Amino acid sequence: MEKLTGYTCNPDYMMEWNKLMNQKDHFINQISGTNMRPLPCSVNLQGFGEIQVEHLRQHSNVSILQQAFDLKMRMVAYWKIFKVRLVDSMALHLQYRVHNLVNNDIDEIVKELMGPEGHGIEKMLVESPAVVAKREKLKNSIKVLKESKDSVAKIMDRIVLYDAYLV
């Protein structure tokens, strides 16, 4: 998609590129060392910070340095615009998908829940045989525990009465 459309005419791109290119003369002068001794090891460019430039001095042709600077600034400006566009398009895509889910897919979900005769929810509320069996088992356990509690209480009452009789 990016190959099909050039964004170099985009006003945001042009503004960003011009802002970056305003530093070109300063950058080239720092490298070529016009009227400077000693030559600086690094150059401070706005938006980039300190950049080491000693290795660039081996290129005595200023035209190559200017072309390299221009290419780098074009790439940086394009990358900044691309990131914004990517985030925007992702947000739009997510919004679109959520909108479709809510408006279109929810109808299908409701139809599926209701079933062909409208008894889908009732079918979902019917307990499975495994749950019914487990409930019966738990009811029996509760019944046995209550009976055990009553038996233990009767035994404890007899022990208390026996101890009271002995005293």
Side-chain angles (χ1 to χ4, degrees), residues 7-156:
Y7 276 84
T8 56
C9 294
N10 182 314
D12 294 331
Y13 169 83
M14 293 303 296
M15 188 173 61
E16 183 66 30
W17 180 71
N18 284 326
K19 186 174 78 171
L20 293 168
M21 287 303 289
N22 285 337
Q23 303 179 76
K24 181 169 99 174
D25 291 336
H26 171 69
F27 182 76
I28 299 299
N29 287 338
Q30 293 289 315
I31 293 173
S32 63
T34 313
N35 299 328
M36 278 192 271
R37 296 290 180 244
L39 296 174
C41 298
S42 62
V43 176
N44 188 10
L45 287 180
Q46 184 181 6
F48 292 94
E50 289 289 320
I51 299 172
Q52 298 297 321
V53 294
E54 288 179 326
H55 66 285
L56 296 175
R57 291 202 177 94
Q58 66 187 357
H59 304 287
S60 58
N61 188 349
V62 174
S63 175
I64 291 175
L65 292 174
Q66 290 174 337
Q67 288 175 7
F69 186 85
D70 181 54
L71 181 61
K72 177 67 175 177
M73 295 307 129
R74 286 178 189 273
M75 290 169 47
V76 168
Y78 178 77
W79 182 247
K80 286 183 180 181
I81 300 302
F82 174 76
K83 287 190 301 186
V84 170
R85 287 181 31 242
L86 181 64
V87 169
D88 288 347
S89 68
M90 286 174 54
L92 285 173
H93 182 73
L94 287 173
Q95 243 179 345
Y96 175 73
R97 294 302 300 157
V98 168
H99 175 77
N100 279 349
L101 174 69
V102 170
N103 290 336
N104 300 336
D105 297 345
I106 204 76
D107 291 338
E108 292 177 28
I109 294 170
V110 169
K111 287 176 187 174
E112 200 173 298
L113 284 176
M114 295 307 288
E117 290 90 35
H119 300 293
I121 293 177
E122 287 86 6
K123 287 180 183 177
M124 289 174 52
L125 294 174
V126 172
E127 290 180 319
S128 69
V131 172
V132 172
K134 189 172 184 178
R135 182 180 308 101
E136 289 301 319
K137 183 178 177 183
L138 289 172
K139 278 184 182 178
N140 289 336
S141 295
I142 290 171
K143 181 180 173 187
V144 168
L145 287 171
K146 283 182 180 179
E147 289 172 0
S148 299
K149 178 189 132 208
D150 292 342
S151 297
V152 169
K154 286 180 185 176
I155 292 171
M156 291 302 292

